């Protein structure tokens, strides 16, 4: 019933009533908010604030006392761009100048809303998608590669979590994984094409 939209220059988020298409509230977040993601239960909204190098968590539960207020700020230690909550609601995945940051989204975890790992990329990362079982992340990079990242490495750290790097030969942006986890779809911005990769 509601849409949350980041406003990069005014450092806030607009809440839109989808029944009327009217902005009903504006919520101040960090500096230069860009990416935004809703938790699977619809009760939380994570906002990636590019310049202030953190995430803002907005309470989206209308039955909560904190409804439509920022209830947590999560430092990332570097500039952020896009954000995604895994389908199992266990992690928040954040792209930016560093690679991929992994934040715990489990309220029962002692490290809840803290960065628990970084999968280094060697370049800026742009978009992130996740397989339906929350096992792997697919991340696009500024230099046109797709990284496949194991979100549950056996070692427990993410130093070797990048299990594949797929060159696309062009600039890419949006990344989506099909619901059956068989295909990855990527927009090629220079070629006006959709690239399709089969997951084997």
């Amino acid at each position: 019933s509601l849409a949350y939209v980041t406003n990069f220059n005014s450092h806030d988020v607009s809440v839109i009533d989808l029944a009327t298409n009217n902005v009903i509230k504006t919520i101040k977040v960090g500096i230069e908010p860009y990416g935004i993601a809703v938790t699977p239960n619809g009760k939380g909204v994570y906002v990636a604030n590019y310049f202030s190098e953190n995430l803002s968590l907005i309470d989206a539960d209308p039955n909560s006392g904190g409804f439509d207020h920022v209830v947590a700020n999560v430092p990332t230690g570097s500039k952020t761009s896009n954000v995604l909550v895994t389908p199992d609601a266990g992690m928040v995945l954040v792209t930016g100048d560093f690679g991929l940051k992994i934040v715990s989204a489990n309220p029962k975890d002692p490290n809840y809303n803290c960065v628990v790992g970084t999968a280094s990329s060697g370049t800026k990362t742009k978009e992130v998608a996740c397989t339906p079982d929350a096992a792997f992340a697919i991340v696009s990079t500024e230099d046109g590669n797709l990284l496949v990242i194991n979100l549950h490495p056996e070692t427990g750290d993410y130093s070797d979590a990048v299990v594949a790097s797929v060159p696309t030969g062009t600039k890419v942006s949006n990344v989506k994984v099909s619901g059956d986890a068989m295909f990855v779809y990527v927009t090629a911005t220079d070629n006006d094409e959709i690239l399709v990769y089969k997951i084997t």
Side-chain angles (χ1 to χ4, degrees):
S1 61
L2 300 174
Y4 292 79
V5 182
T6 54
N7 303 306
F8 189 80
N9 291 324
S10 56
H11 320 305
D12 53 28
V13 169
S14 295
V15 184
I16 299 172
D17 183 338
L18 295 178
T20 63
N21 289 334
N22 291 325
V23 175
I24 57 174
K25 188 174 290 187
T26 303
I27 304 167
K28 278 289 179 187
V29 288
I31 302 173
E32 296 179 347
Y34 187 74
I36 192 165
V38 180
T39 58
N41 65 5
K43 294 183 178 180
V45 178
Y46 282 93
V47 180
N49 301 303
Y50 181 77
F51 190 79
S52 55
E53 301 183 0
N54 67 352
L55 302 177
S56 297
L57 174 58
I58 297 171
D59 185 340
D61 182 0
N63 299 314
S64 169
F67 179 54
D68 274 351
H69 287 82
V70 173
V71 293
N73 287 295
V74 182
T76 60
S78 188
K79 289 181 170 61
T80 62
S81 53
N82 278 297
V83 60
L84 175 100
V85 183
T86 57
D88 64 354
M91 302 176 183
V92 181
L93 309 178
V94 190
T95 64
D97 289 358
F98 40 74
L100 184 73
K101 296 277 186 181
I102 296 95
V103 174
S104 172
N106 180 2
K108 297 180 180 179
D109 185 345
N111 294 314
Y112 174 53
N113 276 341
C114 294
V115 174
V116 295
T118 301
S120 298
S121 63
T123 186
K124 291 181 180 179
T125 51
K126 299 171 68 176
E127 299 284 340
V128 56
C130 185
T131 55
D133 60 359
F136 294 93
I138 313 296
V139 179
S140 63
T141 70
E142 191 174 60
D143 56 5
N145 289 331
L146 294 179
L147 305 180
V148 181
I149 298 173
N150 182 2
L151 295 177
H152 303 280
E154 290 184 8
T155 59
D157 67 31
Y158 290 86
S159 58
D160 58 352
V162 177
V163 296
S165 179
V166 180
T168 66
T170 186
K171 290 184 178 178
V172 293
S173 57
N174 292 316
V175 180
K176 298 294 179 187
V177 179
S178 62
D180 57 8
M182 290 186 63
F183 299 97
V184 175
Y185 299 89
V186 187
T187 55
T189 52
D190 282 353
N191 303 332
D192 298 329
E193 294 176 338
I194 302 293
L195 307 178
V196 184
Y197 294 89
K198 187 173 182 179
I199 300 174
T200 57

